[in-house]
Amino acid sequence: MSVEHYFSSDPQGDFTPKQVSVELAGERVSVVTASGIFSPAGIDKGTAILLAEAPEPSGSTVLDIGTGWGPISLTLAKKLPQARVIGVEVNQRSAELTRMNAERLGLSNIEVFAPSDVPGDLQFDTIWSNPPIRVGKDVLHDILRTWLPRLAPQGCAYLVVQKNLGADSLQKWIAKELDSVDAGTFKVSRYATAKGFRILEVVRSA
């Protein structure tokens, strides 16, 4: 599938949800996916590594950048049932699948928005993301430039990025970019390495 296909707001083709069995937050569950989205067969390798390696999320408002059919948002909602989980997704089909999966799993604390519809006053205690590296640097940088500065004080972000797709150079770019936003406020580091992927950590100081 082309990047343009699953990254478009309105993918073409029939919308026919199909059931897939996956493990989320230590529980085997049945979710629905469909064509025209990222990783319709189940949890992709990068997201699986993020879910396995990232520390336990915390806070009252948390963010998933690039929701897809919802594996990260659903996991955050299961781990933080009292939190407000915000999923950001440009692909309308993916957004609808995340809403469907939240309903299937009885998770009422998930909201999915197009990027421009997220309330502007929200800050996030935790951000998790498998960002869409293959859309190109300009789009990727715009995405990260939009959301990472909205970490709340003492908030943490965890991003999973394939090493051979530029994880180390992206870490350096994030550090430089955030220092230009608020010098000395953000600390960017490599949190973990697994199976060819890096998990990058961004921490905002109090």
Side-chain angles (χ1 to χ4, degrees):
M1 184 191 308
S2 71
V3 168
E4 290 78 13
H5 188 39
Y6 71 74
F7 196 67
S8 66
S9 62
D10 187 16
Q12 301 302 304
D14 292 337
F15 179 39
T16 307
K18 63 177 182 179
Q19 293 191 37
V20 178
S21 177
V22 297
E23 185 172 310
L24 298 174
E27 180 184 1
R28 178 62 55 174
V29 298
S30 176
V31 298
V32 288
T33 72
S35 63
I37 68 167
F38 176 66
S39 194
I43 301 175
D44 66 283
K45 187 176 180 181
T47 297
I49 288 169
L50 177 68
L51 296 180
E53 299 289 338
E56 286 296 304
S58 62
S60 60
T61 308
V62 300
L63 175 68
D64 169 18
I65 307 168
T67 306
W69 57 259
I72 293 175
S73 289
L74 297 169
T75 298
L76 288 168
K78 287 170 71 67
K79 287 178 174 287
L80 296 172
Q82 304 305 315
R84 184 182 185 185
V85 178
I86 302 295
V88 172
E89 179 56 65
V90 299
N91 183 310
Q92 296 175 24
R93 184 172 296 184
S94 294
E96 180 60 24
L97 287 165
T98 298
R99 296 184 187 104
M100 293 170 66
N101 286 325
E103 184 175 356
R104 286 172 68 91
L105 301 183
L107 299 170
S108 60
N109 56 330
I110 296 177
E111 302 168 68
V112 187
F113 293 97
S116 60
D117 294 336
V118 177
D121 59 346
L122 286 185
Q123 288 188 305
F124 304 100
D125 303 301
T126 295
I127 297 174
W128 281 6
S129 181
N130 180 1
I133 299 298
R134 294 183 184 277
V135 298
K137 283 186 178 180
D138 289 345
V139 175
L140 175 66
H141 288 176
D142 281 346
I143 292 169
L144 299 179
R145 192 181 285 119
T146 296
W147 300 110
L148 291 180
R150 292 179 66 172
L151 274 174
Q154 298 183 300
C156 300
Y158 295 91
L159 314 174
V160 63
V161 183
Q162 200 165 341
K163 181 180 176 182
N164 67 5
L165 292 181
D168 295 340
S169 61
L170 183 62
Q171 178 182 335
K172 294 175 182 176
W173 179 87
I174 292 171
K176 182 177 180 180
E177 178 68 23
L178 291 180
D179 197 55
S180 72
V181 170
D182 196 347
T185 299
F186 297 90
K187 179 182 178 183
V188 183
S189 60
R190 184 191 308 164
Y191 179 78
T193 299
K195 300 178 182 179
F197 287 81
R198 308 278 204 216
I199 296 180
L200 307 182
E201 178 185 63
V202 181
V203 179
R204 186 167 200 165
S205 67

